[in-house]
Amino acid sequence: MKLSWKQGLGVWAATTSCLLLAVWLRYYLTDNGFIKEPNQTYDYIVVGAGTSGCVLAAKLAASNSKVLVIEAGGEPPWYSWIPIVAPILQGSEQYDWRFRTVPQKFAAGALHGNQAFWPQGKMVGGSGQMNFLIHATGSPSDYDSWKVPGWDSHTMKTALDGLTCWTKGIVKPFVARPSFLLDGESEMCRAPVLAENSTSCSENAQHFQCPSAAVKLQRVNATEKPLLKAFLDAGRACGHSVSEMDRWSDTGSFMASHNTIDGKAGQRWSTYSSHLMPAMKRYSNLHVLTKSSVTKLVWRRNKVIGIQYLDADGRIKHVKAGKEILLSAGTIKTTQILQQSGIGPPHVLEPLDIPIKADLPVGENLQDHLQVPLFVELNASVSLNIVKMLHPRQFWNYMVHGKGALATSGIEGIATLTKKREDGKPSEPYGMLILFNMGSINADVYTSVANIKKEAFHRWFPKSSSLSQEGFVLISICLHPRSRGHIRIISPDPMHPPEIDPAYLSNDYDVQCSIDTIKQGVELLNTDSFRALGARVHWPTFPECGSKQGIENQRYLECLVRTAALTMYHPAGTATMGHKDDPDAVVDPELRVRGVNGLRVVDASVLPRLPSGPPNSVLVAMAERAADFIINKH
């Protein structure tokens, strides 16, 4: 597309600003503490420097233990700290594992070969360095459904409250050291809890400062975001409750999104920046080894005593742990390492001549959230688009003030949906709506990241070529899918990618759950608040779905879900936790691998069932608890 001289000048200014921004961020984030060669022995070895691994390493190092963190990737690039550019890292050979599923029988019709791409972070910070930064705590019924001793809703509420600093309006008390801090609100109250309309701590309350290790949260302000205001007003008009913050409730609500962004600097705030980076500067007993891929565990009878890994030059090396090995490599890599080490089902390991150390259902129970994105066109100038983002003022505002479009993730609103049961009480949350404020959907980026066929994309987003298009993406998610798949190694070569089959939409419940969520989302567009913006949903014109599109056509909606549903990047469940008599459990309630000494798993693979929303913040709480288990034992 030919640019006008004004647009060309804007691109030049934006490019210059980007170069200055790169220099600034590289200076700001320069860090030491990485090693090239590890010691022979440590107390603990943490495999994977992702969301959970960074928390574990920091807490264990603070207990005066010798800790090694080993990460397959390197340091994240400077631009990963800019919240809005998360998709750029997806598909990168250097920073993404670039996993893909096997062809799906019941889903992924719009994708090449019916295969979903599964981006997973391959760098310090892990997928937390390339996700969309949504903070969610789930609902009480999520944890009660696990039926795992010590992980019920009461225990998890305490754990999650213990990670929450003072917030405007309602205050959640914290226990010991808090790990979440809301943007712009540095003071906290331990007691009493604030009244709903209060804006500051009461005179009798004690005041505390959040530590540097707090994960900072940026709350999107509806008074500054007309599109978010319309979303919340529409939810209220449709009879839903509207809340200022993430509520610990099964009743569902509409709310402004809370995103893990440092609002003052406008930077992504992962557990690398909140936990690992400060710990590396503070503790000489913490070592971080990058560009080194763990291939298998080292055994002495039924105890894991170390790891085998390939260093940056491809040489096989070993390191021992005096106390424990902690696998936090993410659902896919943790599953692969366990199976390569002889922990898994016989039908997976025996054909590969891998000696069985522990017969456990590793790799089963795979689950993932699916999203169905629909584009909503607007005739009011209230959304982000490429032209607005490339304006030089945006770069200046970001570099000088840490504000503007670059300091956001684009996620502005969240809604959890429930239904009324026969007794009149609400069900557990079944669906989620996400308001993604972006009018210009880049075809090249989106199709390459998600493996979407170009023809299907243009039927999905027909105005994507317009850089100034106004609109947003309304994302519908089924929160508790019943489809279950597997991850299995198919080669004794530890560098060969495993077989990933999520069996998307193999259970018909997931299709209807997605349809119900889509209908709730589209209903919002018929309210006065969205009609005032000229909102009009674009129904994708996929040929296989027929010529009659719309919310009244059940066959079309079923086809839409099976064609257009995409991963939400939340694979989980393949090393599920459970009580000692649970035949499906891989780890016990303290996350120790059953029948194996010296080994725990601490990442999303231990989740028996996905929570009601993105699990990143739940994993922070889980890693905090796991570190306490370990420290108390030793």
Side-chain angles (χ1 to χ4, degrees), residues 541-612:
T541 58
F542 301 130
E544 59 267 43
C545 296
S547 58
K548 187 180 179 181
Q549 300 93 25
I551 201 169
E552 302 299 328
N553 189 336
Q554 177 70 12
R555 180 185 171 278
Y556 170 79
L557 292 176
E558 290 178 2
C559 180
L560 172 67
V561 172
R562 294 195 184 278
T563 304
L566 305 171
T567 177
M568 272 293 288
Y569 320 107
H570 302 156
T574 53
T576 188
M577 64 174 162
H579 56 77
K580 63 180 181 180
D581 299 321
D582 184 353
D584 297 324
V586 173
V587 301
D588 69 12
E590 293 195 3
L591 309 184
R592 297 170 294 203
V593 176
R594 297 172 62 194
V596 177
N597 293 324
L599 179 64
R600 299 188 203 229
V601 177
V602 188
D603 58 27
S605 65
V606 306
L607 299 177
R609 182 173 180 252
L610 281 165
S612 299

Side-chain angles (χ1 to χ4, degrees), residues 225-228 230 375-385 388 437-440 463 468-472 528-536:
K225 303 288 185 179
L227 190 54
L228 171 60
F375 183 71
V376 180
E377 182 180 352
L378 301 173
N379 61 18
S381 182
V382 295
S383 59
L384 289 176
N385 55 47
K388 292 178 184 178
N437 183 350
M438 183 58 65
S440 303
K463 296 190 176 182
S468 59
Q469 178 63 44
E470 292 288 340
F472 66 95
D528 291 342
S529 57
F530 272 118
R531 279 199 293 262
L533 301 179
R536 184 175 69 87

Side-chain angles (χ1 to χ4, degrees), residues 122-133:
K122 186 181 179 183
M123 61 191 128
V124 179
S127 295
Q129 205 66 31
M130 60 189 285
N131 63 10
F132 284 87
L133 302 163

Side-chain angles (χ1 to χ4, degrees), residues 94-115:
Q94 185 174 358
Y95 303 112
D96 181 4
W97 281 102
R98 302 174 73 188
F99 292 118
R100 66 173 62 195
T101 70
V102 299
Q104 295 299 287
K105 183 178 180 180
F106 304 105
L111 310 186
H112 290 287
N114 292 80
Q115 291 180 283

